[in-house]
Amino acid sequence: MQGGSALLLVGGNSFAESKSLVRVGLVTDLHHADKDPRGSRHYRESLEKLDEAKKLFTEFDPDFVVELGDLIDAAETVETELGYLETVHEKFVSLPGEKHYVLGNHCVDTLTKSEFLKVVRQEKSYYSFDKNGVHFVILDSCFLSDGTPYRRKNFKWTDANIPQAELDWFKADLDSTESEQVIVFAHQRLDLEDSESHTVKNASKVRSILEGSGKVRAVFQGHSHKNDHHEINGTHYVTLVAMVEGSGAENSGYSTLEVFSDGTISIDGHRKQNGYTWK
Ligand SMILES: [Zn+2]
C-alpha cells in the first residue's frame, strides 16, 4: 500500500490550507463469479480483494464509493447470474459511504439493466449528483449502435455507445450545474479514437459535449483492466486497473479520490493502481 500523506505534497507545499471537499472510494471490474479462473481472471478472489479495500476505505471514510462497472461476470442463466450479483453486492454494500454503480457490459450479459439495478437498489443507469459543491455524473454506455440497450447476451463488447437521448441529457446536465468542478464516471473508455476496441464508439461526440461545458475536470473509467492516463484539452481521463486480474492481494487494485477546495484532485492508488495529483 502506498502512503496517503506523501501525495498531499506538491512542490514541497502541503495542502494544509486547502480543505478536503469530497472523498471517494473507487473500484472497478471485479467480474465476480463462482467460476474457476480463466487466463488472468480470478473471478472468486474479487471477494477477498474487496475485503482488503474495505479496510482501507473504512479508514479513509469516503462520502461515497463508486463501482465503475463489470461487478459480475457472465453466467448461463439469469438465476445463476443474479446469484453472483447478490453475493458480491452484499459485500460491496457493506463498504462505508453511499454507493454508486456504473453499468459495465458484463453487468448486463444475461441480466437486463432493470434486473441489475433492482438488486443494487439504484433507480437509474445514468444520473448526476452533487457533494459539497462538486458535481458528479454517472454515464451508461451499454447500448448498441442502433440504441438497443445491452441485455440477455445481445451485445458485442466492441459496440458500446451513448445514445442521443443520453447525450442530450448529459449536455443539459452540464449546462445547468453551477459547479465548475465536474467529475464523470464511465465504464467504457471516452479517451480513445472512436475506432478502437475498448472505446465508446461515439466517444468523440461525448468529449465535445464535456469539453464544450468547460467544467469537466476528470473522467474515471474501467473496462481496459490496466492503468492509463490521458489529458485531452484540459480534462484528465484515468483508466483504473481491474480487481479481477491476477491471483492474490498483491494483484488487486483500488483507489481513493479526494477533491480539495483549491481545485487539487488527488488519486491515491493501492496495490496495482497508479496514483495521480493534479492542481
Ligand atoms: Zn471488465
Side-chain angles (χ1 to χ4, degrees):
M1 245 180 255
Q2 298 170 19
S5 55
L7 277 173
L8 295 178
L9 296 165
V10 171
N13 298 315
S14 84
F15 297 155
E17 286 158 40
S18 171
K19 238 176 68 223
S20 170
L21 294 178
V22 188
R23 297 160 76 81
V24 185
L26 295 173
V27 297
T28 193
D29 291 271
L30 281 75
H31 287 256
H32 170 67
D34 187 13
K35 305 196 286 198
D36 291 336
R38 211 171 74 194
S40 55
R41 298 184 178 189
H42 293 259
Y43 306 108
R44 293 193 184 100
E45 290 191 28
S46 287
L47 296 178
E48 288 159 51
K49 290 172 178 169
L50 199 51
D51 283 336
E52 182 184 273
K54 180 178 174 174
K55 273 187 211 148
L56 188 279
F57 288 168
T58 301
E59 276 172 45
F60 179 71
D61 192 21
D63 295 290
F64 59 90
V65 179
V66 186
E67 175 276 304
L68 284 151
D70 288 357
L71 183 58
I72 51 171
D73 207 84
E76 285 309 312
T77 68
V78 171
E79 291 67 31
T80 310
E81 204 165 292
L82 275 174
Y84 298 165
L85 179 57
E86 278 156 9
T87 301
V88 69
H89 178 252
E90 194 180 307
K91 213 172 256 296
F92 183 76
V93 87
S94 76
L95 300 180
E98 289 168 24
K99 316 298 178 299
H100 295 276
Y101 302 81
V102 179
L103 282 182
N105 45 304
H106 287 277
C107 297
V108 286
D109 190 303
T110 303
L111 303 181
T112 63
K113 293 185 185 183
S114 58
E115 285 165 347
F116 181 93
L117 294 172
K118 191 177 168 200
V119 173
V120 303
R121 293 179 213 101
Q122 182 168 294
E123 202 186 327
K124 292 177 176 170
S125 64
Y126 61 89
Y127 59 99
S128 65
F129 58 98
D130 294 289
K131 263 306 157 213
N132 216 2
V134 184
H135 189 68
F136 296 92
V137 180
I138 303 269
L139 290 178
D140 172 11
S141 312
C142 292
F143 293 89
L144 299 171
S145 307
D146 67 3
T148 308
Y150 286 6
R151 58 163 184 261
R152 304 259 191 272
K153 304 200 182 290
N154 71 342
F155 73 82
K156 265 173 67 186
W157 71 272
T158 49
D159 189 14
N161 298 268
I162 296 192
Q164 193 58 46
E166 185 175 343
L167 292 175
D168 292 345
W169 170 86
F170 185 42
K171 184 174 185 313
D173 183 76
L174 291 175
D175 284 347
S176 64
T177 181
E178 282 169 17
S179 176
E180 296 290 314
Q181 299 237 62
V182 177
I183 291 177
V184 172
F185 301 112
H187 179 68
Q188 294 92 336
R189 294 183 59 170
L190 291 168
D191 58 340
L192 302 174
E193 296 294 330
D194 290 357
S195 56
E196 288 180 70
S197 58
H198 285 87
T199 192
V200 172
K201 280 174 78 180
N202 57 347
S204 56
K205 245 187 197 167
V206 182
R207 284 199 303 274
S208 77
I209 291 171
L210 70 83
E211 286 168 16
S213 79
K215 299 171 182 171
V216 182
R217 300 279 320 280
V219 176
F220 292 91
Q221 47 198 11
H223 198 47
S224 283
H225 293 204
K226 63 174 187 185
N227 281 296
D228 207 357
H229 169 253
H230 291 121
E231 186 179 349
I232 307 173
N233 298 328
T235 301
H236 293 275
Y237 295 79
V238 178
T239 305
L240 302 170
V241 295
M243 205 172 243
V244 72
E245 291 288 337
S247 182
E250 65 275 22
N251 285 307
S252 187
Y254 51 98
S255 50
T256 53
L257 156 68
E258 203 161 2
V259 184
F260 293 88
S261 56
D262 69 352
T264 299
I265 294 179
S266 166
I267 296 98
D268 197 359
H270 300 274
R271 297 298 190 179
K272 296 275 183 188
Q273 179 57 53
N274 288 349
Y276 307 89
T277 300
W278 314 304
K279 251 322 210 195

